[in-house]
Amino acid sequence: MEKIKMTTPIVEIDGDEMTRIMWQMVKEELILPHVELKSEYYDLGLLHRNDTDDQITVEAAEAALKYGVALKCATITANAQRMVEYPQLKKMYRSPNATIRSIMGGTIFREPILIDAVKPIVRNWKKPITIARHAYGDVYKAVELYTEEKGSGSLYFRAETGEEKEILAYQADGPAIWQLQHNSEESIRAFARSCFTYALSEKKDLWFSSKDTISTVYDGRFKAIFEEEFAPFREQFKENGITYFYTLIDDAVSRVMRSEGGFIWACKNYDGDVMSDMLSTCFGSLAMMTSVLVTPEGQYEYEAAHGTVTRHYYRYLKGEETSTNPVATIFVWANGLRKRGELDGNKALMEFGQRLKDATLDTLNAGIMTNDLILLCEDKDHFRSVTTAEFIHEVASRL
Ligand code: NAP
Ligand code: MG
């Protein structure tokens, strides 16, 4: 069979640990036999980030903006424990995702992959709930300080004109912790526009939530900007029978639990981080959550929502065959190639992406699954638990 040709390269961003192993397996067994892969490769493995003083991460993000479609493997975010584990690290590097997001901007949409055998924990959920996470600022871009002395802290702003503003935050009479968050109006507007655009293209209702009753200036601004950006979309929403709905974050949480799903929930950065983990757990496994960063200009970065699955990696290193779930990783390749095909008018590549997803779902619906999913099935006897390698073979044979 002739392999499918590509005109524009995809940006391939490699990562760490178990997901790096799965990345290679998926590529070799499911992609390369069928596609003459054109990819611009960026190795974001922790040690290579260290070798390049993290420049490689910046370059990967810039390539994603240039080419428009990037596929990313999960990566280690360095922390105190990793500094001990990898003594050669020159510094505690920032999360690669945070670096990429701050360069690309845009919005992350996360959607669970539903299969027949795994019923959502929340019984009334019938359709997937897509979470849109604002990918810039707030606590992820905050500066923090720990002080031991008595003293006062304030929020201070100096305008370029020289005008100054200062608000006393707290008078500390002992050790205290401080944090200064920010966001930019431009980023919030872009977030709102991506959400309205995506809701329209998916023909799904859009919810947005924040805490503007407590945070009247910060969250209040988010609410007002969404309202303003909705204006040009209002008519099209009506024509498509979809709605935009704003409510407080705590009210949204209780409404989400009572809903049947099928909508997009736009969240601020931290809410999106936390709520997407809750949703993925309720819908099945974190391993069944897909994620895509979409810029308002229409560039896409696909990734699995889960991390590098460290515990499985250590077992793999000991020579054990693990049953790590590669479904989200397969969907990264499938969705990314499909989007590349769509943007290039390459029908064969688009179809291949869809077939890869279908073959994966067929495998799962035939009862062949990794262990994390078996544990979630009610009638365990009807399902066959397989290793990662076996699962990928099964998908390959259906593909
Ligand atoms: P994790 O890698 O998502 O794994 C947490 C646990 O969830 C695993 O130990 C495993 O549970 C289960 N799990 C996750 N994905 C799975 C899969 N595909 N198949 C089967 N089980 C799966 O999160 P973490 O342990 O908190 O983080 C590990 C590393 O990943 C950290 O260095 C973190 O910085 C990084 N991380 C990267 C990203 C990213 O690049 N997007 C996101 C999150 C975390 P059991 O062990 O019980 O089987
Ligand atoms: Mg999270």
Side-chain angles (χ1 to χ4, degrees):
M1 224 169 56
E2 214 183 303
K3 288 191 192 179
I4 297 164
K5 297 211 167 32
M6 295 175 64
T7 46
T8 317
I10 49 119
V11 178
E12 181 184 349
I13 306 176
D14 211 344
D16 289 297
E17 298 192 317
M18 204 58 214
T19 41
R20 188 182 180 102
I21 308 295
M22 294 202 292
W23 190 264
Q24 198 56 35
M25 290 164 88
V26 168
K27 187 171 149 184
E28 268 170 20
E29 239 187 290
L30 301 177
I31 311 297
L32 295 181
H34 307 286
V35 180
E36 221 172 276
L37 186 69
K38 266 196 178 180
S39 93
E40 202 165 286
Y41 180 84
Y42 293 85
D43 182 1
L44 263 59
L46 184 58
L47 294 179
H48 193 242
R49 274 181 274 147
N50 190 49
D51 288 342
T52 63
D53 295 316
D54 213 20
Q55 260 311 299
I56 190 74
T57 309
V58 173
E59 285 166 20
E62 282 165 355
L65 284 176
K66 177 178 168 194
Y67 291 108
V69 180
L71 281 53
K72 182 180 172 289
C73 177
T75 43
I76 290 172
T77 297
N79 58 14
Q81 196 191 326
R82 297 293 193 176
M83 299 302 287
V84 177
E85 187 181 348
Y86 297 91
Q88 63 271 60
L89 290 187
K90 290 180 236 168
K91 60 181 249 201
M92 207 192 285
Y93 296 99
R94 257 175 94 196
S95 147
N97 283 21
T99 303
I100 292 171
R101 282 170 200 160
S102 69
I103 293 171
M104 290 185 73
T107 296
I108 293 172
F109 296 88
R110 278 182 163 195
E111 188 169 306
I113 301 159
L114 299 191
I115 56 167
D116 301 340
V118 181
K119 302 273 177 261
I121 292 170
V122 180
R123 263 173 306 163
N124 39 290
W125 287 355
K126 306 272 185 289
K127 304 171 198 161
I129 297 170
T130 307
I131 271 226
R133 172 180 173 184
H134 184 208
Y136 177 79
D138 300 354
V139 71
Y140 304 85
K141 276 278 194 175
V143 288
E144 302 189 329
L145 193 63
Y146 170 66
T147 55
E148 292 188 55
E149 306 297 316
K150 286 185 183 178
S152 63
S154 59
L155 196 157
Y156 171 74
F157 175 79
R158 185 175 57 242
E160 266 186 6
T161 58
E163 192 200 333
E164 296 173 80
K165 288 185 179 174
E166 188 168 359
I167 303 172
L168 177 72
Y170 181 57
Q171 189 83 44
D173 50 17
I177 46 178
W178 311 85
Q179 185 180 69
L180 178 60
Q181 295 189 24
H182 77 274
N183 221 301
S184 79
E185 192 140 332
E186 189 193 2
S187 168
I188 303 168
R189 284 196 191 281
F191 172 47
R193 273 199 302 276
S194 315
C195 291
F196 291 124
T197 305
Y198 191 69
L200 206 52
S201 81
E202 297 286 299
K203 308 230 179 322
K204 285 180 174 175
D205 289 344
L206 178 72
W207 297 18
F208 176 55
S209 51
S210 77
K211 192 74 179 177
D212 68 290
T213 45
I214 300 298
S215 169
T216 52
V217 174
Y218 199 105
D219 283 17
R221 201 68 208 123
F222 271 87
K223 181 186 176 183
I225 290 171
F226 261 76
E227 209 43 59
E228 285 167 27
E229 293 294 337
F230 180 50
F233 288 92
R234 198 179 296 274
E235 268 314 300
Q236 281 170 286
F237 265 53
K238 207 181 274 173
E239 281 161 22
N240 283 279
I242 56 173
T243 55
Y244 166 59
F245 170 63
Y246 174 84
T247 189
L248 288 170
I249 178 71
D250 35 3
D251 180 53
V253 168
S254 65
R255 282 173 189 262
V256 163
M257 297 309 280
R258 284 181 272 121
S259 78
E260 66 161 36
F263 52 89
I264 298 166
W265 184 12
C267 287
K268 291 182 61 205
N269 209 349
Y270 178 81
D271 297 336
D273 185 351
V274 176
M275 289 302 158
S276 56
D277 284 350
M278 183 199 69
L279 287 179
S280 58
T281 305
C282 291
F283 272 112
S285 160
L286 191 55
M288 296 292 277
M289 187 69 115
T290 60
S291 172
V292 57
L293 175 67
V294 184
T295 69
E297 293 77 36
Q299 291 120 329
Y300 298 78
E301 187 225 9
Y302 293 90
E303 69 169 319
H306 60 79
T308 59
V309 212
T310 311
R311 292 211 314 177
H312 293 217
Y313 181 59
Y314 290 146
R315 297 212 303 264
Y316 168 87
L317 288 181
K318 283 186 198 147
E320 209 180 294
E321 280 255 24
T322 68
S323 182
T324 318
N325 190 337
V327 170
T329 300
I330 297 173
F331 270 58
V332 166
W333 282 95
N335 284 328
L337 291 177
R338 200 172 62 152
K339 179 54 79 178
R340 188 69 270 166
E342 192 188 310
L343 294 178
D344 291 350
N346 184 343
K347 204 159 159 255
L349 195 60
M350 273 175 79
E351 277 175 10
F352 174 76
Q354 189 56 47
R355 277 168 205 230
L356 180 53
K357 291 212 287 195
D358 291 345
T360 308
L361 292 172
D362 286 351
T363 307
L364 293 164
N365 288 328
I368 300 162
M369 309 171 178
T370 46
N371 222 13
D372 56 312
L373 293 179
I374 299 276
L375 294 172
L376 299 168
C377 295
E378 270 170 30
D379 194 356
K380 298 191 176 36
D381 301 340
H382 286 97
F383 305 101
R384 182 152 68 89
S385 174
V386 291
T387 63
T388 306
E390 286 166 343
F391 184 84
I392 292 172
H393 293 328
E394 292 286 344
V395 175
S397 71
R398 283 167 179 79
L399 186 62

